mmCIF file of all heavy atoms in Angstrom:
data_model
loop_
_atom_site.group_PDB
_atom_site.id
_atom_site.type_symbol
_atom_site.label_atom_id
_atom_site.label_comp_id
_atom_site.label_asym_id
_atom_site.label_seq_id
_atom_site.Cartn_x
_atom_site.Cartn_y
_atom_site.Cartn_z
ATOM 1 N N LYS A 262 -9.141 -4.495 -21.851
ATOM 2 C CA LYS A 262 -10.595 -4.317 -21.774
ATOM 3 C C LYS A 262 -11.294 -5.629 -21.467
ATOM 4 O O LYS A 262 -12.229 -5.679 -20.673
ATOM 5 C CB LYS A 262 -11.116 -3.732 -23.091
ATOM 6 C CG LYS A 262 -10.724 -2.297 -23.309
ATOM 7 C CD LYS A 262 -11.164 -1.805 -24.663
ATOM 8 C CE LYS A 262 -10.632 -0.404 -24.918
ATOM 9 N NZ LYS A 262 -10.893 0.052 -26.274
ATOM 10 N N GLN A 263 -10.841 -6.718 -22.090
ATOM 11 C CA GLN A 263 -11.439 -8.029 -21.833
ATOM 12 C C GLN A 263 -11.195 -8.451 -20.389
ATOM 13 O O GLN A 263 -12.075 -8.992 -19.727
ATOM 14 C CB GLN A 263 -10.869 -9.079 -22.802
ATOM 15 C CG GLN A 263 -11.469 -10.438 -22.646
ATOM 16 C CD GLN A 263 -12.956 -10.463 -22.941
ATOM 17 O OE1 GLN A 263 -13.434 -9.747 -23.808
ATOM 18 N NE2 GLN A 263 -13.687 -11.258 -22.202
ATOM 19 N N SER A 264 -9.964 -8.207 -19.894
ATOM 20 C CA SER A 264 -9.654 -8.574 -18.514
ATOM 21 C C SER A 264 -10.516 -7.777 -17.531
ATOM 22 O O SER A 264 -11.031 -8.334 -16.561
ATOM 23 C CB SER A 264 -8.176 -8.317 -18.246
ATOM 24 O OG SER A 264 -7.860 -8.576 -16.910
ATOM 25 N N LEU A 265 -10.661 -6.475 -17.767
ATOM 26 C CA LEU A 265 -11.534 -5.668 -16.902
ATOM 27 C C LEU A 265 -12.978 -6.136 -16.967
ATOM 28 O O LEU A 265 -13.662 -6.208 -15.951
ATOM 29 C CB LEU A 265 -11.431 -4.194 -17.278
ATOM 30 C CG LEU A 265 -10.151 -3.489 -16.897
ATOM 31 C CD1 LEU A 265 -10.126 -2.091 -17.494
ATOM 32 C CD2 LEU A 265 -9.999 -3.426 -15.400
ATOM 33 N N HIS A 266 -13.429 -6.468 -18.150
ATOM 34 C CA HIS A 266 -14.807 -6.944 -18.328
ATOM 35 C C HIS A 266 -15.008 -8.256 -17.573
ATOM 36 O O HIS A 266 -16.030 -8.453 -16.912
ATOM 37 C CB HIS A 266 -15.120 -7.131 -19.816
ATOM 38 C CG HIS A 266 -16.490 -7.642 -20.080
ATOM 39 N ND1 HIS A 266 -17.613 -6.886 -19.852
ATOM 40 C CD2 HIS A 266 -16.917 -8.861 -20.503
ATOM 41 C CE1 HIS A 266 -18.684 -7.593 -20.145
ATOM 42 N NE2 HIS A 266 -18.282 -8.808 -20.551
ATOM 43 N N ASP A 267 -14.016 -9.164 -17.640
ATOM 44 C CA ASP A 267 -14.122 -10.443 -16.934
ATOM 45 C C ASP A 267 -14.127 -10.274 -15.436
ATOM 46 O O ASP A 267 -14.874 -10.950 -14.720
ATOM 47 C CB ASP A 267 -12.956 -11.360 -17.337
ATOM 48 C CG ASP A 267 -13.057 -11.814 -18.783
ATOM 49 O OD1 ASP A 267 -14.155 -11.682 -19.373
ATOM 50 O OD2 ASP A 267 -12.027 -12.272 -19.319
ATOM 51 N N HIS A 268 -13.307 -9.337 -14.911
ATOM 52 C CA HIS A 268 -13.233 -9.130 -13.468
ATOM 53 C C HIS A 268 -14.466 -8.416 -12.932
ATOM 54 O O HIS A 268 -14.850 -8.632 -11.784
ATOM 55 C CB HIS A 268 -11.979 -8.345 -13.096
ATOM 56 C CG HIS A 268 -10.727 -9.149 -13.226
ATOM 57 N ND1 HIS A 268 -10.498 -10.286 -12.517
ATOM 58 C CD2 HIS A 268 -9.638 -8.976 -14.007
ATOM 59 C CE1 HIS A 268 -9.321 -10.783 -12.829
ATOM 60 N NE2 HIS A 268 -8.775 -10.010 -13.748
ATOM 61 N N LEU A 269 -15.075 -7.562 -13.733
ATOM 62 C CA LEU A 269 -16.242 -6.822 -13.267
ATOM 63 C C LEU A 269 -17.512 -7.640 -13.334
ATOM 64 O O LEU A 269 -18.476 -7.357 -12.635
ATOM 65 C CB LEU A 269 -16.408 -5.527 -14.065
ATOM 66 C CG LEU A 269 -15.316 -4.491 -13.845
ATOM 67 C CD1 LEU A 269 -15.531 -3.313 -14.781
ATOM 68 C CD2 LEU A 269 -15.286 -4.026 -12.412
ATOM 69 N N ASN A 270 -17.535 -8.653 -14.164
ATOM 70 C CA ASN A 270 -18.750 -9.493 -14.300
ATOM 71 C C ASN A 270 -18.605 -10.811 -13.605
ATOM 72 O O ASN A 270 -17.860 -11.209 -12.948
ATOM 73 C CB ASN A 270 -19.067 -9.742 -15.774
ATOM 74 C CG ASN A 270 -19.479 -8.444 -16.445
ATOM 75 O OD1 ASN A 270 -20.047 -7.577 -15.817
ATOM 76 N ND2 ASN A 270 -19.178 -8.338 -17.714
#
Side-chain angles (χ1 to χ4, degrees):
K262 289 175 186 173
Q263 182 63 35
S264 176
L265 287 173
H266 179 69
D267 292 344
H268 288 299
L269 293 175
N270 293 329

